[in-house]
């Protein structure tokens, strides 16, 4: 990866970039068949960036038709695994050469700080794609222990046509998490980006075809969830939908599957994640650094955000004070300035939603110790990082996913109470524990109902570890790791009787 540019260099790049606005179907950029478009907004300025093709049923039907033809042709689905690896690695190289461009496009549409996109999102997306590419020709089938008279093969085959529906908070990275294993296993993939963040996905699709991915194998349909997403969910010739987003929308894809062809559904949904800090936690300065990163990274627009700080009463005041000190390292402002760590909220709708939760937190008796206001920066959608103290587990801000820069501090008297509070949620995506007692940490990790539990740190593991949740945080599969390949394949048994017909066998 190349180094960070200056604010002026990023702005010059933003002013000169040709922005992709059309869907990508059968290897070509296409306007919607209806001619309809919708606006994409820069949340840092409130201004329209461009108009994006608004795909309807006819566009989805065309994309599915081309995806199925590509799959049945075998150009990708039956290509040698080493060939798929070679093409995917070429895509990684092209993305790396265009990293600054991709980062700027992402920042313009999402409001994410360019610092994060350049140093986290793009590098991790490249690593994800290369990792899955390298795994392509290293995954073995199995044989069963069925005796000498049988050869029983257990093999995996690509599902067919897969739809990937992306969220707006990590467009490039979530694209990589989905298409990495889906393409590596030989599927034809149709991607629907979130309507707020389309252009980085469209640009990557252009690079994918330049890398050699055949027409119809990676297609992008853009448009609102209630039309384009619904059309994908209900389509009878799509074999699977992999969805990352809100729990409410995840429910809809289960309904669409039931109403159509019982297509496979993999859901990675919301979270209301706890961070437990016990009174024996070592080095509160380090703990506060992780706490701050966990809740304010990407303006809190993160499904694994540790938005509930469940802290022992003996150290609560010291830890909150240290968190407030750490916030000085998180300047808020123009996203294209690499000196800023907090950018704009993705949309006016999300801005209003977060401000509504802050208002409700005040009304229900929680106490704001910092933030709580809109940040005045032009006409953009900015919110100060906000910390609530005196939060109780039944308060709305302690129960519902805010998806914004809001931390709720809940005080507990012991580890047992901390675990009860942590599990008192409909979600189960991630959690963190800070304690000097490793045995206690592992017991708590065992007892917490969450898909990823980190000890003495905040994180989501790495590319080799599966990511997904319990309860309303999703089910059906996992992103990342070799486990992600399983959900994009069908398991098949091939049974061959090789017994010698001249040899009689006793029958029980």
């Amino acid at each position: 990866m190349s180094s960070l540019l200056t604010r002026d260099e990023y702005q010059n790049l933003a002013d000169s970039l040709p922005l992709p606005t059309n869907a990508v179907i059968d290897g070509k950029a296409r306007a919607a068949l209806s001619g309809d478009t919708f606006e994409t907004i820069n949340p840092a300025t409130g201004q329209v960036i461009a108009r994006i093709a608004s795909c309807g049923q006819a566009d989805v039907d065309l994309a599915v038709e081309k995806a199925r033809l590509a799959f049945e042709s075998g150009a990708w689905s039956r290509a040698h695994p080493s060939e798929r690896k070679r093409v995917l690695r070429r895509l990684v190289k092209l993305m790396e050469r265009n990293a600054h461009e991709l980062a700027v496009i992402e920042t313009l549409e999402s409001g994410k700080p360019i610092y994060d996109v350049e140093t986290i999102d793009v590098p991790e997306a490249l690593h994800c794609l290369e990792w899955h590419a390298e795994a392509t020709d290293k995954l073995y089938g199995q044989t069963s222990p069925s005796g000498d008279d049988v050869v029983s093969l257990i093999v995996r085959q690509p599902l067919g046509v897969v739809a990937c529906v992306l969220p707006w908070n990590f467009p490039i990275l979530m694209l990589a998490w989905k298409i990495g294993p889906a393409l590596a296993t030989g599927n034809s993939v149709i991607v629907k980006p979130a309507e707020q963040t389309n252009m980085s996905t469209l640009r990557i699709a252009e690079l994918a075809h330049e890398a050699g991915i055949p027409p119809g194998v990676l297609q992008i349909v853009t448009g609102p969830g209630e039309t384009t997403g619904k059309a994908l969910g209900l389509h009878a010739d799509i074999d699977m939908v992999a969805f990352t987003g809100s729990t409410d929308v995840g429910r809809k894809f289960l309904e669409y599957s039931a109403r159509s062809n019982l297509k496979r559904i993999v859901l990675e949904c919301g979270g209301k994640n706890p961070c437990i800090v016990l009174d024996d936690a070592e080095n509160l300065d380090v703990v506060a650094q992780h706490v701050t990163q966990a809740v304010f990274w990407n303006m809190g627009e993160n499904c694994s955000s540790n938005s509930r700080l469940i802290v022992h009463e003996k150290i609560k005041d010291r830890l909150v004070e240290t968190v407030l000190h750490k916030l000085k390292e998180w300047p808020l402002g123009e996203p294209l300035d690499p000196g800023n760590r907090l950018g704009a909220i993705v949309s006016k709708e999300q801005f209003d939603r977060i401000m509504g939760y802050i208002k409700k937190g005040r009304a229900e008796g929680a106490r704001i110790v910092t933030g709580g206001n809109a940040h005045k920066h032009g006409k953009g959608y900015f919110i100060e990082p906000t910390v609530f103290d005196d939060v109780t587990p039944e308060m709305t801000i302690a129960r519902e996913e805010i998806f914004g820069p809001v931390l709720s501090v809940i005080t507990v008297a012991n580890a047992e109470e901390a675990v009860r509070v942590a599990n008192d949620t409909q979600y189960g995506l991630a959690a963190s524990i800070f304690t000097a007692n490793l045995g206690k940490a592992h017991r708590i990790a065992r007892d917490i109902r969450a898909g990823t539990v980190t000890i003495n740190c905040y994180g989501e593991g790495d590319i080799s570890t599966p990511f997904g949740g319990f309860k309303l945080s999703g089910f059906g599969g996992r992103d990342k790791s070799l486990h992600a390949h399983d959900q994009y394949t069908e398991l098949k048994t091939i049974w061959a009787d090789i017994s010698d017909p001249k040899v009689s066998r006793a029958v029980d």
Side-chain angles (χ1 to χ4, degrees):
M1 285 294 297
S2 52
S3 59
L4 288 166
L5 304 180
T6 66
R7 182 265 174 206
D8 289 343
E9 287 173 323
Y10 282 124
Q11 187 60 59
N12 289 337
L13 190 55
D15 292 339
S16 62
L17 280 176
L19 299 176
T21 58
N22 285 324
V24 177
I25 299 176
D26 199 26
K28 304 179 183 68
R30 299 171 181 257
L33 291 171
S34 65
D36 292 343
T37 61
F38 61 94
E39 294 178 344
T40 183
I41 306 293
N42 182 341
T45 64
Q47 297 177 343
V48 176
I49 305 171
R51 298 195 68 88
I52 307 293
S54 185
C55 295
Q57 184 69 57
D59 303 284
V60 170
D61 288 344
L62 178 61
V64 174
E65 176 189 347
K66 297 301 182 183
R68 182 61 64 185
L69 288 172
F71 182 79
E72 297 298 340
S73 76
W76 185 257
S77 59
R78 295 178 185 172
H80 194 281
S82 63
E83 172 63 14
R84 293 202 295 268
K85 178 177 77 171
R86 185 180 64 82
V87 173
L88 288 172
R89 291 193 67 196
R90 190 184 299 157
L91 170 60
V92 171
K93 293 294 184 185
L94 289 171
M95 289 175 62
E96 190 170 13
R97 290 175 199 163
N98 292 272
H100 290 318
E101 173 189 343
L102 291 171
V104 167
I105 291 173
E106 183 107 324
T107 293
L108 287 176
E109 272 199 306
S110 69
K112 295 165 67 75
I114 194 76
Y115 178 89
D116 282 358
V117 184
E118 284 268 38
T119 63
I120 301 174
D121 296 33
V122 172
E124 288 196 8
L126 295 176
H127 178 55
C128 172
L129 289 172
E130 188 159 40
W131 193 90
H132 284 294
E134 285 292 349
T136 303
D137 59 359
K138 300 174 182 66
L139 297 174
Y140 291 81
Q142 298 173 310
T143 60
S144 69
S146 299
D148 291 342
D149 292 334
V150 168
V151 173
S152 176
L153 304 179
I154 303 169
V155 299
R156 291 194 173 276
Q157 296 181 337
L159 278 169
V161 178
V162 170
C164 298
V165 181
L166 305 181
W168 44 256
N169 56 337
F170 291 95
I172 291 176
L173 187 53
M174 293 301 99
L175 175 69
W177 279 20
K178 303 298 187 192
I179 69 172
L183 289 175
T185 48
N187 295 284
S188 293
V189 181
I190 302 170
V191 178
K192 195 205 88 66
E195 60 196 272
Q196 297 88 348
T197 52
N198 298 273
M199 294 190 296
S200 58
T201 301
L202 292 171
R203 180 64 181 125
I204 290 170
E206 294 175 356
L207 296 175
H209 292 111
E210 185 179 341
I213 289 180
V217 172
L218 178 61
Q219 304 178 98
I220 316 297
V221 290
T222 51
E226 59 268 23
T227 54
T228 317
K230 182 178 181 180
L232 290 169
L234 288 171
H235 205 290
D237 202 25
I238 289 177
D239 300 297
M240 172 188 173
V241 172
F243 169 79
T244 294
S246 72
T247 300
D248 288 343
V249 177
R251 292 179 187 273
K252 292 183 179 181
F253 278 103
L254 290 176
E255 294 173 7
Y256 299 154
S257 174
R259 289 167 54 189
S260 55
N261 60 335
L262 288 182
K263 60 177 62 65
R264 185 179 299 183
I265 302 294
V266 173
L267 302 178
E268 196 273 277
C269 300
K272 192 65 180 176
N273 310 297
C275 175
I276 294 175
V277 183
L278 300 181
D279 58 338
D280 64 349
E282 296 179 325
N283 196 336
L284 289 189
D285 188 72
V286 173
V287 174
Q289 183 175 338
H290 283 280
V291 168
T292 307
Q293 174 77 14
V295 72
F296 296 123
W297 173 39
N298 202 43
M299 295 74 67
E301 297 170 333
N302 181 12
C303 58
S304 64
S305 168
N306 283 344
S307 58
R308 291 185 296 152
L309 177 57
I310 302 171
V311 56
H312 195 285
E313 59 190 8
K314 290 182 180 178
I315 62 168
K316 188 263 292 184
D317 290 340
R318 280 191 294 138
L319 180 57
V320 170
E321 182 181 349
T322 310
V323 167
L324 296 180
H325 179 73
K326 289 293 179 185
L327 269 177
K328 297 176 183 178
E329 302 171 9
W330 288 74
L332 168 64
E334 182 181 2
L336 283 176
D337 184 343
N340 289 325
R341 296 298 310 279
L342 290 162
I345 304 302
V346 71
S347 66
K348 180 63 163 58
E349 178 185 16
Q350 183 64 13
F351 172 90
D352 290 342
R353 183 174 185 271
I354 296 167
M355 293 304 296
Y357 275 113
I358 292 173
K359 181 179 180 180
K360 186 167 288 189
R362 282 191 175 110
E364 292 181 0
R367 176 173 61 88
I368 289 182
V369 294
T370 191
N373 302 302
H375 178 75
K376 301 299 182 183
H377 186 83
K379 296 182 179 179
Y381 314 131
F382 295 84
I383 295 176
E384 297 172 346
T386 300
V387 177
F388 277 101
D389 199 355
D390 300 333
V391 178
T392 55
E394 71 277 3
M395 290 182 179
T396 303
I397 58 172
R399 304 201 67 80
E400 297 185 11
E401 185 179 37
I402 299 173
F403 227 62
V406 180
L407 176 64
S408 297
V409 181
I410 303 171
T411 307
V412 293
N414 52 53
E416 293 72 24
E417 183 183 2
V419 172
R420 285 198 304 273
V421 172
N423 283 332
D424 185 19
T425 174
Q426 61 186 340
Y427 298 109
L429 188 58
S432 297
I433 304 159
F434 290 86
T435 174
N437 187 321
L438 192 58
K440 184 186 295 184
H442 279 284
R443 290 192 295 273
I444 292 174
R446 176 199 61 202
D447 293 340
I448 288 179
R449 297 279 296 162
T452 297
V453 181
T454 59
I455 296 174
N456 292 329
C457 64
Y458 165 74
E460 297 173 352
D462 62 14
I463 188 60
S464 68
T465 59
F467 182 80
F470 295 3
K471 299 187 278 188
L472 295 191
S473 289
F475 65 90
R478 290 292 188 265
D479 287 315
K480 303 193 303 172
S481 83
L482 291 179
H483 294 278
H485 291 242
D486 294 343
Q487 64 205 29
Y488 296 105
T489 57
E490 290 281 18
L491 196 65
K492 175 181 284 188
T493 297
I494 301 175
W495 180 278
D497 184 343
I498 62 168
S499 61
D500 188 343
K502 298 176 182 178
V503 178
S504 61
R505 289 175 291 174
V507 178
D508 292 338

